[in-house]
Amino acid sequence: MAEKQFGGLGVSSLFALNRALLFKWIWRFLNHQTGLWQSIIKAIHGPYGSLDAPIPRRSGGSVWVMIRKSIDALKSKGIDLMQFCNKVIGNGSSTSFWYDRWNGDVCFKVRFHRLFNLELQKDISVAHKLQLSDSSSSFRRRPRGGLEESQWNEMSQVIDNVVLSPINDRWRWTLNSNGFFSVSSVRKEIDKRVVAMSSSPTRWSTILPIKVNVFIWRMFLDKLPTRSNLSARGVDVPCVLCPVCDSEVESRNHLFFGCSLVSELHRLIGRWWNIHIPEFTDLFSWESWFKDLRLTSLHKLVLEATFFSLWWHVWKFRNDSVFEMVKPKKCMLFDNTITQTLLWMNHRSRKVRVNWAAWLKDPLDAISNM
């Protein structure tokens, strides 16, 4: 699920979390080459765990192969996590000259493949290679003309510009500014590529319960099971009219903005807050009005929570009207809204502590005098 700034709830998908935890083993393999399990992997799959080599079709049920397959499956979807692993050269002793990506985005084995075919010491380190008086002395023959000579000239130019230092080589994770690997950074990167994003951030009220915020999130996305939505999904709905007013098709915009009952509740909120609340036709008209409203940030925070609470109670009233044997009372909707909103604010928010009598009389004044 996307982050809140991209229209989600900020809850990671299990798919992204699972792949991030799997990739953590690859990061550990790269950074700690002396462990027993790393030695076993090297013995079975080669000195570098075949991270750059294709997985054989008949690879058995190895756990390491399963991890490789999961990461390669991500790469086939355009999510190459290995590109965020960069080798930072120090003394060059623990960096493979041909297999590690220590200069550029691809390893020298791929970048200079014709020279790699000439190499006799394919596991040679950067330090050992640079110590040779002639870099071609470890080749089975000198590079000849054409592509070999072109690659040789390019590689020689790269080698001439490399300066080693006395510190150890290390891997750097480029998704974090500090260079250290974290599961959360992988999870966010996968979610960013896989999960659908929205240009509008999620509206989240800090003074309301999570269940109300999740309801509002679904309402803003028009994902509530209104009768029009159920009918559009192929559900057999006996009647698509609004169960509250029984005059129009029950859609998101009608139930929370166009219904006569909700319009009356909006007017009551306007008189209570002493502000002008116009007639709304849809969610966009409410958002546009609320954005241009000239109130302090704290007043707008509480007013927004009041609207969210009202729509929550309208949805409960709608469900009780459809599913309960005893019909709910319309006259209690407004009272329940202002009472529950105050309780939520006083018990959940550190910013807002409002007196009950002042809240009933004038919420604007009550918030200003906190």
Side-chain angles (χ1 to χ4, degrees):
M1 193 173 293
E3 298 294 318
K4 290 181 180 178
Q5 63 265 30
F6 300 117
L9 292 179
V11 181
S12 172
S13 65
L14 291 178
F15 174 85
L17 180 60
N18 177 264
R19 269 54 182 184
L21 291 172
L22 290 178
F23 191 78
K24 187 176 182 179
W25 285 106
I26 291 182
W27 178 258
R28 286 178 173 175
F29 178 84
L30 293 174
N31 282 269
H32 308 285
Q33 294 282 323
T34 57
L36 176 60
W37 68 275
Q38 288 97 328
S39 301
I40 295 174
I41 289 175
K42 292 174 187 178
I44 297 175
H45 302 284
Y48 299 96
S50 301
L51 291 178
D52 294 322
I55 302 174
R57 291 185 178 181
R58 297 181 180 180
S59 53
S62 167
V63 175
W64 183 252
V65 170
M66 297 303 294
I67 293 175
R68 281 284 321 279
K69 285 183 177 179
S70 298
I71 303 306
D72 283 4
L74 283 179
K75 186 176 180 180
S76 66
K77 297 179 181 179
I79 310 173
D80 185 8
L81 297 178
M82 287 299 298
Q83 69 176 331
F84 304 113
C85 302
N86 284 355
K87 197 67 177 285
V88 180
I89 292 296
N91 54 28
S93 59
S94 62
T95 300
S96 169
F97 183 84
W98 294 105
Y99 293 100
D100 288 336
R101 287 183 289 186
W102 59 278
N103 186 291
D105 295 331
V106 295
C107 62
F108 279 15
K109 172 188 173 182
V110 177
R111 185 175 173 183
F112 306 116
H113 59 279
R114 294 294 293 270
L115 302 182
F116 177 76
N117 293 334
L118 299 177
E119 180 66 72
L120 296 175
Q121 304 177 39
K122 298 189 184 298
D123 297 335
I124 192 171
S125 66
V126 173
H128 190 188
K129 190 72 170 177
L130 267 59
Q131 288 171 359
L132 298 176
S133 56
D134 182 3
S135 299
S136 65
S137 61
S138 60
F139 293 168
R140 55 185 172 84
R141 61 169 173 80
R142 292 281 301 180
R144 295 171 182 170
L147 184 58
E148 285 184 3
E149 185 177 4
S150 174
Q151 291 188 359
W152 168 250
N153 293 333
E154 183 183 353
M155 192 182 79
S156 299
Q157 186 176 2
V158 171
I159 292 176
D160 290 340
N161 294 327
V162 176
V163 178
L164 301 181
S165 62
I167 62 175
N168 294 328
D169 302 337
R170 62 184 178 87
W171 285 93
R172 186 176 187 276
W173 181 247
T174 59
L175 276 181
N176 282 342
S177 58
N178 58 14
F180 296 109
F181 175 85
S182 68
V183 171
S184 63
S185 63
V186 182
R187 173 183 58 79
K188 291 178 182 178
E189 180 66 21
I190 296 175
D191 278 342
K192 186 172 67 176
R193 304 288 189 90
V194 175
V195 178
M197 300 289 181
S198 172
S199 57
S200 301
T202 300
R203 302 186 81 105
W204 191 272
S205 176
T206 57
I207 59 181
L208 293 179
I210 293 177
K211 63 179 181 180
V212 179
N213 281 296
V214 172
F215 161 78
I216 293 299
W217 173 71
R218 294 183 65 198
M219 190 269 273
F220 272 57
L221 294 176
D222 197 10
K223 298 299 183 181
L224 293 175
T226 57
R227 289 179 171 179
S228 62
N229 282 345
L230 292 175
S231 178
R233 296 170 192 167
V235 179
D236 185 15
V237 182
C239 179
V240 295
L241 295 180
C242 174
V244 177
C245 65
D246 201 32
S247 61
E248 294 185 28
V249 174
E250 185 199 42
S251 63
R252 187 268 312 269
N253 288 333
H254 169 75
L255 182 61
F256 297 104
F257 302 100
C259 182
S260 57
L261 173 63
V262 178
S263 297
E264 178 59 28
L265 291 172
H266 286 172
R267 284 193 291 269
L268 290 175
I269 290 180
R271 288 201 294 267
W272 175 40
W273 277 72
N274 195 26
I275 57 176
H276 172 67
I277 298 181
E279 292 283 342
F280 304 117
T281 57
D282 52 25
L283 178 61
F284 177 78
S285 61
W286 179 87
E287 286 187 301
S288 179
W289 167 81
F290 189 82
K291 181 180 179 181
D292 297 334
L293 198 59
R294 294 188 176 181
L295 292 175
T296 66
S297 59
L298 185 58
H299 282 121
K300 293 188 76 170
L301 175 69
V302 177
L303 180 59
E304 180 185 56
T306 303
F307 272 101
F308 288 178
S309 177
L310 173 66
W311 296 334
W312 162 264
H313 282 87
V314 168
W315 183 249
K316 286 186 63 179
F317 178 86
R318 177 263 187 199
N319 288 338
D320 291 342
S321 301
V322 173
F323 301 111
E324 297 296 332
M325 296 296 295
V326 180
K327 299 299 180 182
K329 297 180 180 180
K330 295 181 180 181
C331 61
M332 296 299 296
L333 256 175
F334 184 70
D335 293 343
N336 291 339
T337 297
I338 61 176
T339 302
Q340 192 65 61
T341 304
L342 179 67
L343 291 175
W344 282 332
M345 284 193 303
N346 285 344
H347 287 86
R348 298 185 59 85
S349 176
R350 296 180 180 178
K351 293 183 179 180
V352 185
R353 288 291 187 275
V354 183
N355 177 269
W356 170 248
W359 173 251
L360 290 179
K361 182 179 180 181
D362 188 346
L364 282 171
D365 187 59
I367 296 168
S368 300
N369 295 329
M370 284 191 305

